[in-house]
Amino acid sequence: MRWTRGVSVWPVGLVGGLRFEGPRVQDGRVVGFHTAWEPNRPFPVDMAGFAVALPLLLSKPNAQFDAAAPRGHLESSLLSHLVDPKDLEPRAANCTRVLVWHTRTEKPKMKQEEQLQRQGRGSDPAVEV
C-alpha cells in the first residue's frame, strides 16, 4: 500500500463466509469483485481491503464515511467520493495473494463459500489464503 497514488485494493481472507473476498483483476485492472454478499454495491470491498493516499483524501474535503449508509455500504459511501471503480489500483500481486485476514479464535464459517462452490463460482483456488 506504500505505493498507493489514489485508492488501492487487495483481497481479504476469511470474510463474508468465503475463503477470501476481493477484487478480480484482468490485465492489471480491477474488472469486478469476488463476493457473495450484495455484489452490486458500488464498491463491494471489505474495510480491510483498501487504502487511500493521503493527498487524495486531503484534496476531497467533503469525502467521508456516511454514518447513515445501509449495512455493508460504509466503504462505498467513502470510496464513491474518491475514485471511479476503473481507477482502483490492484495490490498483493494483482490481487492473487491474501495478505490480510479477518481472524477469530473459532473455526471460520464458510457457508457462502460452500454455496458459491455449488453454483460453480467458488473462490479461485490459485489464490493463496
Side-chain angles (χ1 to χ4, degrees):
M1 77 181 74
R2 167 185 288 172
W3 296 278
T4 299
R5 291 189 191 108
V7 176
S8 59
V9 290
W10 50 83
V12 177
L14 305 177
V15 66
L18 299 172
R19 286 179 57 237
F20 70 90
E21 214 177 52
R24 287 187 298 109
V25 177
Q26 189 172 51
D27 299 323
R29 313 243 334 129
V30 174
V31 296
F33 292 87
H34 176 67
T35 184
W37 189 79
E38 288 201 38
N40 295 323
R41 291 174 285 160
F43 292 89
V45 298
D46 185 79
M47 194 68 74
F50 69 92
V52 178
L54 185 57
L56 174 62
L57 194 59
L58 293 175
S59 74
K60 309 268 185 169
N62 293 325
Q64 61 185 7
F65 289 110
D66 178 1
R71 180 177 172 260
H73 290 255
L74 196 58
E75 297 87 345
S76 293
S77 76
L78 172 68
L79 294 175
S80 63
H81 292 286
L82 297 173
V83 67
D84 190 278
K86 69 178 178 49
D87 296 322
L88 292 171
E89 305 164 29
R91 297 287 181 235
N94 270 330
C95 298
T96 62
R97 297 183 63 210
V98 174
L99 304 173
V100 177
W101 296 265
H102 278 219
T103 58
R104 302 178 110 168
T105 57
E106 60 189 32
K107 183 178 178 182
K109 296 174 182 79
M110 306 298 278
K111 291 178 184 176
Q112 296 295 337
E113 182 70 38
E114 293 162 3
Q115 181 179 353
L116 286 182
Q117 285 176 351
R118 285 191 296 274
Q119 297 170 4
R121 301 184 307 130
S123 299
D124 182 350
V127 174
E128 183 182 345
V129 178

